[in-house]
């Protein structure tokens, strides 16, 4: 294995740090309580759609990063950045709407469950992306990928059980809220998988630079969701909402709470800035190191989020959650082919690995789930 350069180490550290901060800052914002627009009692900052708008602003800023990168590259004697073909930006409207819907659902769910479970359960995207790639992209999954999907399902069940048992001891979330949040996260992954399949068709057909693609989706998500905040202000949803007016989203209440508690703004800015740098770092890691490294770092940030949440006292340690994380890690590794380099060193398994690699479609890890994709990380 080649030694990493200082720049590669910087990119890996940046991706791991900003990817972890993205979820942690969103959860931090959820934990604040402050007065709203009227002199009533303090209430929790539960404004998932306002948070989603901030996230899309971070994605939108990737457009600026793309043009800055392009401008810098053109000053070189030999430019290396491929700006891609010209394309109709409206092509990204459907995946952007998937991103907007899935992100909003996940931020609602983050109010109901822990940050670590939120991150772990997002691993369900492998299941739905794999199935959709077979149904709509005509891809044939390898036996190791099917095994990875089944192991991922097992890991999701274990994480769900951990939340069920820890829900009885959790004072911050009711058990029914925790389980509802977990289900919402898994449901959101179905939408994310549709988004990823659409992105694959667009990005590789039109040769769009990933930063430009992320920025274009961010623009649509920011613009549409900002407009939707207006009708949301008048839609009453009863007890489903925790804001005083019990409407779907009360953006004015969110701004008033920020005025009374400026640290909320710091948390929201942390989410916006981290998603921008996370996308840039992730795409750069894929280019400078490998898509496999990006997958490993993405799995490691789940561990970082869990450890930090425990250290800050945001959640309690549960052994089942550790087991669930390890099982999900194995499932993700198998699906993305991380087992191949290890098996290739074993003489009796080398031939099997070579056969599997020949059957695999070229660049699949970069295309679909290898997070060389334009999925916003984070999407949350």
């Amino acid at each position: 294995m080649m030694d990493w350069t200082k720049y590669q180490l910087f990119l890996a550290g940046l991706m791991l740090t900003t990817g972890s901060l993205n979820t942690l800052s969103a959860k931090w914002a959820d934990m604040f309580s402050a007065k709203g627009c009227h002199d009533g009692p303090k209430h929790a900052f539960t404004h998932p759609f306002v948070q989603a708008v901030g996230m899309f602003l971070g994605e939108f800023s990737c457009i600026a990063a793309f043009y800055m990168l392009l401008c810098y590259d053109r000053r070189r004697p030999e430019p290396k950045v491929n700006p891609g073909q010209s394309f109709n930006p409206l092509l990204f409207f459907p995946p952007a709407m998937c991103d907007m819907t899935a992100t909003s659902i996940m931020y609602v769910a983050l109010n109901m469950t822990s940050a670590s479970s939120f991150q772990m359960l997002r691993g369900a995207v492998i299941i739905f992306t794999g199935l959709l790639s077979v149904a709509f992209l005509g891809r044939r999954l390898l036996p190791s990928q099917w095994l990875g999907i089944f192991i991922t399902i097992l890991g999701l069940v274990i994480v769900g059980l951990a939340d069920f048992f820890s829900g009885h001891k959790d004072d911050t979330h009711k058990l029914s809220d925790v389980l509802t949040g977990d289900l919402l996260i898994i449901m959101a992954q179905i939408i994310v998988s549709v988004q990823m399949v659409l992105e694959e068709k667009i990005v590789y057909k039109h040769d769009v630079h990933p930063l430009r693609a992320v920025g274009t989706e961010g623009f649509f998500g920011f613009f549409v969701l900002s407009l939707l905040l207006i009708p949301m202000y008048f839609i009453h949803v009863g007890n489903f909402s925790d804001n005083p007016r019990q409407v779907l989203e009360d953006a004015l209440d969110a701004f008033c709470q920020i005025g009374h508690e400026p640290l909320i703004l710091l948390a929201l800015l942390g989410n916006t800035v981290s998603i921008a740098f996370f996308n840039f770092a992730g795409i750069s890691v894929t280019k400078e190191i490998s898509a496999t490294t990006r997958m490993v770092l993405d799995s490691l940030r789940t561990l970082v989020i869990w450890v930090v949440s425990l250290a800050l006292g945001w959640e309690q340690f549960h052994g089942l959650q550790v087991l669930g994380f390890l099982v999900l890690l194995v499932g993700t590794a198998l699906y993305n082919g991380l087992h191949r380099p290890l098996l290739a060193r074993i003489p009796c398994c080398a031939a099997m690995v070579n056969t599997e690699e020949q059957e695999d479609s070229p660049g699949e890890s970069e295309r679909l789930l290898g997070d060389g994709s334009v999925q916003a990380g984070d999407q949350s």
Side-chain angles (χ1 to χ4, degrees):
M1 179 180 175
M2 294 178 60
D3 292 334
W4 284 7
T5 64
K6 290 182 180 179
Y7 180 59
Q8 289 173 330
L9 285 170
F10 167 74
L11 289 174
L14 183 66
M15 180 186 167
L16 185 60
T17 303
T18 55
S20 303
L21 281 175
N22 180 247
T23 298
L24 291 169
S25 59
K27 188 62 182 179
W28 186 35
D30 292 341
M31 299 181 75
F32 280 104
S33 292
K35 290 183 178 181
C37 294
H38 306 288
D39 288 330
K42 288 185 177 182
H43 54 277
F45 184 83
T46 51
H47 297 283
F49 298 99
V50 171
Q51 286 181 284
V53 168
M55 192 218 68
F56 283 115
L57 181 61
E59 286 189 18
F60 184 25
S61 66
C62 289
I63 283 281
F66 167 72
Y67 284 109
M68 288 171 62
L69 182 67
L70 200 61
C71 183
Y72 172 76
D73 185 68
R74 284 176 177 173
R75 294 181 180 180
R76 292 179 174 180
E78 296 181 6
K80 296 180 180 179
V81 175
N82 176 18
Q85 303 171 355
S86 60
F87 65 98
N88 184 353
L90 288 174
L91 286 171
F92 281 95
F93 188 77
M97 293 303 97
C98 290
D99 193 1
M100 183 189 75
T101 306
T103 300
S104 299
I105 291 173
M106 285 191 283
Y107 277 133
V108 170
L110 188 56
N111 277 292
M112 301 178 173
T113 191
S114 65
S116 59
S117 293
F118 169 84
Q119 194 66 36
M120 290 180 195
L121 292 171
R122 290 177 64 186
V125 71
I126 283 177
I127 302 166
F128 304 113
T129 307
L131 296 177
L132 287 177
S133 68
V134 171
F136 296 105
L137 298 179
R139 182 160 298 136
R140 187 166 64 88
L141 297 184
L142 302 170
S144 61
Q145 290 177 310
W146 284 113
L147 180 60
I149 286 175
F150 287 121
I151 290 176
T152 299
I153 293 173
L154 176 61
L156 294 173
V157 171
I158 294 172
V159 172
L161 286 173
D163 281 345
F164 177 79
F165 291 121
S166 63
H168 295 288
K169 305 174 185 177
D170 194 348
D171 297 329
T172 57
H173 301 101
K174 291 187 289 187
L175 178 60
S176 58
D177 286 347
V178 171
L179 297 180
T180 301
D182 288 354
L183 289 173
L184 284 174
I185 295 167
I186 293 172
M187 285 172 57
Q189 302 319 300
I190 300 174
I191 304 171
V192 172
S193 63
V194 174
Q195 173 197 344
M196 294 179 76
V197 170
L198 289 172
E199 286 172 348
E200 178 174 350
K201 281 183 170 291
I202 296 167
V203 171
Y204 287 89
K205 182 179 179 181
H206 297 276
D207 188 27
V208 182
H209 191 281
L211 273 177
R212 194 178 182 187
V214 171
T216 304
E217 286 189 15
F219 166 74
F220 285 126
F222 177 76
F223 180 74
V224 173
L225 193 54
S226 295
L227 289 178
L228 288 177
L229 289 179
I230 298 171
M232 286 179 183
Y233 183 80
F234 300 99
I235 300 173
H236 287 267
V237 292
N239 292 329
F240 179 77
S241 174
D242 288 334
N243 59 64
R245 295 178 56 246
Q246 294 190 323
V247 292
L248 190 56
E249 180 59 283
D250 190 340
L252 292 180
D253 182 66
F255 291 125
C256 289
Q257 285 190 288
I258 291 170
H260 286 109
E261 180 52 86
L263 282 176
I264 298 175
L265 180 60
L266 180 63
L268 296 180
L269 286 175
N271 188 35
T272 300
V273 173
S274 64
I275 194 67
F277 279 97
F278 175 67
N279 277 288
F280 170 75
I283 291 165
S284 300
V285 165
T286 302
K287 179 185 174 184
E288 299 290 337
I289 310 174
S290 70
T292 301
T293 302
R294 188 173 181 180
M295 296 173 216
V296 173
L297 291 172
D298 202 47
S299 298
L300 283 177
R301 73 183 177 120
T302 304
L303 179 62
V304 172
I305 290 166
W306 180 61
V307 170
V308 172
S309 297
L310 287 174
L312 294 174
W314 290 359
E315 55 187 272
Q316 296 177 345
F317 178 83
H318 202 289
L320 266 180
Q321 202 172 38
V322 181
L323 178 61
F325 170 71
L326 293 174
V327 173
L328 285 170
L329 199 61
V330 171
T332 302
L334 283 172
Y335 185 90
N336 289 303
L338 301 187
H339 62 290
R340 293 175 190 169
L342 296 175
L343 291 179
R345 296 181 181 182
I346 305 174
C348 62
C349 299
M352 180 184 69
V353 171
N354 290 333
T355 303
E356 195 174 73
E357 287 179 343
Q358 289 172 5
E359 291 177 358
D360 197 1
S361 56
E364 178 171 343
S365 60
E366 284 84 356
R367 289 208 310 270
L368 207 46
L369 259 201
D371 296 0
S373 72
V374 301
Q375 183 198 5
D378 229 280
Q379 268 158 2
S380 12

